[in-house]
């Protein structure tokens, strides 16, 4: 526990209260943290949590709430971008926490300095290479979202990365699903053949659903024919995905 804690934040760091009470303490801090409170949260977050499986989920819940409070401050806390970068880049941190740090780079980016933005961009591109779990997808989605409103992000590079991850059979399923979605949202037309293949033959229902959804954003006449067939599928999950995709396809065409 960090030394010399401000009184109102102390219960969040004590072992005695239940985890839900500790989370409530953090949640109640509001949007005007003092510099000492911010420093205490930074110190705690930068110290990797216990790797014990029995406590990991609760620990990540608490730390996630701490990140929420820091991101939601009226004034962006000084050094928050550096803290997110340090958590992501620390291999001793739990992988869920590293993913949480990548998630928070999006809201912090728009309030960061130009130097911090450059460091965050570099980290996000680096994170797209972590394809064994969800981090690559989280980073890709962040880059896609930031490219809508921010300069300095290459849309062509984002599209190429999305297609690469969507094609990679060794990529973690969550990241691959995100990549498929980004391909659809960005209108990566060269991905349509891949999406048809995945919609028909992917090894899991979530991958098939994601590919079907992307066809609603990319689909040609061939894709529309397939989607109509799937809309009669006995699997209700695939039916709903195909019906939604057909609606988007028709809206996009104005038909």
């Amino acid at each position: 526990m960090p030394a010399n804690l401000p009184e109102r934040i102390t219960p969040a760091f004590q072992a005695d209260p239940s985890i839900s009470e500790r989370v409530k303490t953090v949640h109640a801090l509001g949007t005007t943290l003092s510099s000492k409170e911010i420093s205490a949260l930074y110190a705690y977050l930068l110290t990797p949590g216990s790797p014990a499986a029995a406590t990991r989920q609760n620990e990540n819940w608490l730390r996630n709430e701490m990140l929420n409070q820091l991101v939601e401050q009226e004034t962006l806390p000084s050094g928050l971008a550096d803290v997110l970068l340090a958590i992501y880049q620390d291999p001793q941190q739990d992988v869920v926490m590293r993913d949480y740090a990548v998630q928070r780079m999006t809201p912090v980016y728009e309030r960061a300095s130009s130097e911090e933005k450059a460091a965050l961009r570099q980290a996000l591109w680096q994170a797209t290479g972590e394809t064994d779990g969800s981090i690559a997808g989280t980073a890709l989605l962040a880059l896609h979202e930031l490219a809508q409103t921010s300069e300095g992000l290459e849309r062509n590079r984002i599209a190429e990365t999305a297609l690469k991850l969507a094609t990679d059979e060794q990529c973690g399923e969550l990241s691959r699903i995100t990549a498929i979605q980004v391909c659809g949202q960005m209108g990566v037309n060269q991905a349509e053949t891949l999406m048809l293949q995945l919609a028909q033959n992917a090894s899991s229902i979530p991958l098939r659903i994601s590919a079907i959804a992307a066809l609603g954003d990319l689909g040609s006449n061939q894709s529309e024919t397939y989607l109509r067939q799937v809309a009669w599928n006995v699997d209700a999950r695939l039916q709903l995905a195909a019906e939604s995709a057909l609606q988007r396809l028709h809206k996009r065409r104005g038909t």
Side-chain angles (χ1 to χ4, degrees):
M1 183 170 66
N4 302 318
L5 286 171
E7 181 177 354
R8 74 168 184 151
I9 202 174
T10 298
F13 298 92
Q14 294 175 330
D16 291 338
S18 67
I19 188 63
S20 60
E21 291 301 317
R22 295 173 70 189
V23 170
K24 286 180 182 178
T25 296
V26 176
H27 186 72
L29 292 174
T31 59
T32 54
L33 290 168
S34 70
S35 59
K36 288 185 178 180
E37 290 169 338
I38 291 170
S39 295
L41 292 175
Y42 283 178
Y44 190 81
L45 289 167
L46 288 169
T47 302
S50 168
T55 60
R56 188 180 305 148
Q57 184 174 357
N58 285 343
E59 185 67 28
N60 287 337
W61 179 24
L62 175 65
R63 289 168 180 254
N64 187 46
E65 188 59 41
M66 290 178 176
L67 287 175
N68 284 340
Q69 288 300 312
L70 290 165
V71 169
E72 292 170 4
Q73 293 301 293
E74 292 179 1
T75 301
L76 185 69
S78 176
L80 181 53
D82 290 335
V83 169
L84 296 179
L85 290 166
I87 294 171
Y88 161 63
Q89 292 167 348
D90 184 354
Q92 299 304 312
Q93 290 275 0
D94 186 76
V95 66
V96 173
M97 276 306 301
R98 296 179 64 239
D99 197 308
Y100 285 162
V102 174
Q103 290 177 30
R104 297 323 189 288
M105 290 181 187
T106 302
V108 168
Y109 185 92
E110 299 188 3
R111 304 167 68 189
S113 68
S114 58
E115 292 81 5
E116 290 171 333
K117 286 180 178 179
L120 290 170
R121 286 196 302 271
Q122 182 177 357
L124 287 171
W125 282 118
Q126 176 187 346
T128 62
E130 295 199 32
T131 60
D132 55 339
S134 61
I135 288 179
T138 300
L140 176 66
L141 186 60
L143 289 165
H144 172 53
E145 291 177 353
L146 289 172
Q148 313 304 308
T149 57
S150 304
E151 297 180 356
L153 291 157
E154 307 165 64
R155 288 183 56 83
N156 287 343
R157 184 180 177 188
I158 295 170
E160 290 170 1
T161 302
L163 182 57
K164 179 181 177 181
L165 294 178
T167 305
D168 184 2
E169 295 182 359
Q170 302 305 312
C171 185
E173 183 170 278
L174 291 176
S175 287
R176 200 175 184 197
I177 286 172
T178 299
I180 290 168
Q181 294 170 345
V182 171
C183 282
Q185 293 167 11
M186 295 192 72
V188 183
N189 292 322
Q190 59 266 45
E192 183 181 3
T193 299
L194 171 66
M195 298 309 157
L196 272 170
Q197 293 172 350
L198 291 174
Q200 297 175 72
N201 303 313
S203 58
S204 75
I205 291 295
L207 276 173
R208 292 186 67 186
I209 289 174
S210 185
I212 288 169
L215 289 175
D217 299 313
L218 303 173
S220 63
N221 290 337
Q222 180 184 6
S223 294
E224 181 176 7
T225 299
Y226 172 72
L227 290 173
R228 290 189 182 280
Q229 293 172 352
V230 178
W232 290 93
N233 196 291
V234 294
D235 190 316
R237 296 167 295 180
L238 299 180
Q239 282 183 330
L240 290 173
E243 290 168 0
S244 177
L246 283 168
Q247 290 175 2
R248 290 200 311 282
L249 188 151
H250 291 155
K251 182 177 181 181
R252 179 166 55 84
R253 292 179 174 176
T255 59

